[in-house]
Amino acid sequence: MLQAWTKAMEVQVVNGYTMKFIVGDSTQVLKDFDADSIDACITDPPYGMGMDVWDHNVPPVELWEQVYRVLKPGAFCLSFCSPELYHRMAVAVEDAG
């Protein structure tokens, strides 16, 4: 069950398929999901460029460990990142497994 501080919005899609967009702190939200339960992860996380209070680091290894845990076998993750700090994001993902 999702925590009270998250927001969920369901959008009906063609042929009865439903997508759910969840807005919240991913380090907390992902803990609510079962392992091997997500088909894809598409994310635009903080870039670590210091442009705002929340943007001083790329997501830590612990977040990417949760992403790996919830993705189904064969699922993909598409993560955006700044070209200048791509290496930091890549190392965190690699260190997660």
Side-chain angles (χ1 to χ4, degrees):
M1 178 161 183
L2 294 175
Q3 301 296 323
W5 45 263
T6 62
K7 298 178 185 175
M9 176 182 68
E10 291 189 13
V11 179
Q12 196 68 28
V13 184
V14 179
N15 296 327
Y17 290 101
T18 302
M19 293 189 304
K20 184 180 286 187
F21 296 91
I22 300 169
V23 179
D25 181 345
S26 55
T27 59
Q28 298 301 313
V29 172
L30 288 172
K31 293 177 182 177
D32 293 336
F33 287 89
D34 293 332
D36 302 328
S37 62
I38 304 294
D39 294 308
C41 173
I42 301 171
T43 183
D44 191 4
Y47 289 4
M49 298 178 73
M51 296 177 70
D52 206 333
V53 177
W54 48 265
D55 188 39
H56 288 287
N57 292 305
V58 297
V61 172
E62 295 77 20
L63 172 73
W64 297 112
E65 288 172 343
Q66 286 296 315
V67 170
Y68 276 125
R69 183 186 68 78
V70 301
L71 285 175
K72 293 178 180 177
F76 68 91
C77 178
L78 171 64
S79 178
F80 295 90
C81 188
S82 72
E84 296 88 357
L85 299 170
Y86 168 79
H87 61 287
R88 290 186 184 165
M89 183 84 72
V91 167
V93 172
E94 182 179 30
D95 287 348

